[in-house]
Amino acid sequence: MKARTKVWFTEDGKTVMGAGRAKLLKTIEEEHSLRKACKKLDISYKQAWIVLKKMNEALGEPAVVTVRGGKNQGTFLTDLGRKLLAEYETSKQLISETIGDETAWENISFKLSARNQLPGKVLGVEKNGLVSKITIQMEPSVITSVVTEEAVEKLDIKPGDRVYAVIKSTEVMVAKIVGEKGPAKIDSREIERSD
């Protein structure tokens, strides 16, 4: 049996980016033409415009612009579109590596030892678009973990919360302490690489 996962970004409950939209943006970036991208992906032009319109509405600003006329005409990603695609690709790769890693969370069956989970107190939560930085005080040190904004909201992490920093050679994951002796709440979709 093999673990599989899907990644998608949402904004106010509306899907902004998933595998299909990422593939469309990536192909537009390569081809500089929506028509060529549609042909390459074997989708209709109308379907692609509907997808892009929904994405732009969810974002509140365009991820793609079309320039008509002249030698520089075509369809191009905006800075937001390129940033969104890069964030998506990074998240997808990170989660795939984590899920595919035989040692990651003992294949998500969640065997932890006292050596790799350190209790601490949240000093601050800095939200920055799709990612958030959680600053955690653990005597005598302070660490910062970078996670998705969705993970912060799902775990309801705020300054003063008691959490566990779960350490894996190149990662720091965060688990919120439910009760003083209760289990930690963790979701595999919340796994992100630390600074």
Side-chain angles (χ1 to χ4, degrees):
M1 193 180 305
K2 194 164 189 165
R4 296 184 64 168
T5 184
K6 289 185 179 182
V7 177
W8 64 93
F9 295 157
T10 62
E11 181 70 35
D12 295 328
K14 296 177 186 174
T15 299
V16 174
M17 179 76 86
R21 293 178 184 192
K23 191 180 278 187
L24 178 59
L25 289 187
K26 188 173 185 177
T27 309
I28 289 169
E29 182 75 352
E30 292 167 357
E31 299 293 331
H32 302 294
S33 164
L34 182 57
R35 286 201 189 282
K36 288 179 183 177
C38 291
K39 187 173 182 179
K40 193 172 187 178
L41 297 174
D42 196 28
I43 60 173
S44 76
Y45 187 82
K46 182 178 180 181
Q47 179 186 358
W49 265 121
I50 291 170
V51 165
L52 292 173
K53 183 179 179 196
K54 286 181 180 178
M55 184 186 301
N56 291 343
E57 287 172 357
L59 290 168
E61 60 182 286
V64 173
V65 294
T66 299
V67 177
R68 300 192 193 291
K71 68 176 189 175
N72 294 324
Q73 69 180 356
T75 304
F76 306 94
L77 299 189
T78 62
D79 288 343
L80 174 63
R82 281 189 292 278
K83 181 180 176 186
L84 187 64
L85 182 58
E87 291 276 347
Y88 179 84
E89 293 294 336
T90 300
S91 296
K92 183 179 164 189
Q93 181 181 352
L94 177 61
I95 291 172
S96 292
E97 287 172 3
T98 302
I99 295 296
D101 182 353
E102 295 281 328
T103 63
W105 297 93
E106 299 296 325
N107 254 352
I108 313 298
S109 61
F110 216 91
K111 294 177 185 174
L112 298 176
S113 73
R115 290 178 302 204
N116 68 346
Q117 56 178 328
L118 305 172
K121 181 178 177 182
V122 176
L123 294 178
V125 177
E126 180 185 325
K127 294 183 180 180
N128 186 11
L130 300 172
V131 296
S132 297
K133 290 183 179 180
I134 303 173
T135 306
I136 304 167
Q137 181 174 11
M138 294 179 290
E139 294 299 331
S141 301
V142 174
I143 66 163
T144 300
S145 179
V146 178
V147 299
T148 63
E149 185 173 346
E150 182 181 359
V152 171
E153 289 172 7
K154 187 170 183 178
L155 292 173
D156 190 29
I157 294 176
K158 54 195 171 303
D161 282 348
R162 293 182 37 75
V163 297
Y164 287 107
V166 183
I167 312 296
K168 181 180 176 254
S169 62
T170 59
E171 300 167 326
V172 175
M173 300 171 203
V174 177
K176 186 169 181 179
I177 299 171
V178 177
E180 284 302 310
K181 295 182 182 177
K185 286 169 42 178
I186 291 189
D187 187 311
S188 63
R189 291 172 296 171
E190 298 160 6
I191 298 170
E192 293 292 331
R193 194 172 302 277
S194 70
D195 283 353

